[in-house]
């Protein structure tokens, strides 16, 4: 958490209901390594922190996704995007 503060103001990538929190058990019984947010269809998705998009496209079970590099070896993976 202290490290994230050094990047500036973090925000959720989409407004909506948080369905799965970091560390909660997911549908396969493993601890979640992120958040699962149910946003509205057509909702705007933003980067959680300033950064550079290093990948965007379709990837296996993630569907449409982006990988954003924030620096200091930190990345965000934003997945499950319609477009």
């Amino acid at each position: 958490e202290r490290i994230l503060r050094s990047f500036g103001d973090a925000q959720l990538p989409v407004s909506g209901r948080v369905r799965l929190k970091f560390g909660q058990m997911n549908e396969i019984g493993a601890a979640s390594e992120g958040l699962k947010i149910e946003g509205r269809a057509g909702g705007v998705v933003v980067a959680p922190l300033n950064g550079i998009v290093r990948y965007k496209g379709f990837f296996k079970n993630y569907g449409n996704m982006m990988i954003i590099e924030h620096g200091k070896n930190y990345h965000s993976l934003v997945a499950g995007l319609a477009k």
Side-chain angles (χ1 to χ4, degrees):
E1 195 173 290
R2 182 179 73 233
I3 294 169
L4 287 178
R5 282 189 220 121
S6 71
F7 288 107
D9 293 331
Q11 61 185 339
L12 292 176
V14 65
S15 293
R17 184 173 178 192
V18 176
R19 293 289 190 176
L20 184 67
K21 295 179 182 179
F22 183 86
Q24 281 185 314
M25 293 300 159
N26 63 20
E27 59 275 357
I28 63 169
S32 171
E33 294 186 0
L35 297 173
K36 188 173 190 176
I37 304 168
E38 182 182 333
R40 66 177 177 80
V44 175
V45 179
V46 299
L49 296 163
N50 290 333
I52 299 169
V53 175
R54 293 297 184 190
Y55 176 82
K56 64 181 177 82
F58 188 87
F59 186 76
K60 298 186 179 185
N61 293 334
Y62 291 97
N64 287 322
M65 62 171 270
M66 294 185 302
I67 298 174
I68 305 165
E69 180 183 342
H70 304 295
K72 300 180 186 177
N73 242 2
Y74 285 89
H75 296 78
S76 293
L77 187 148
V78 180
L81 305 169
K83 55 182 176 178

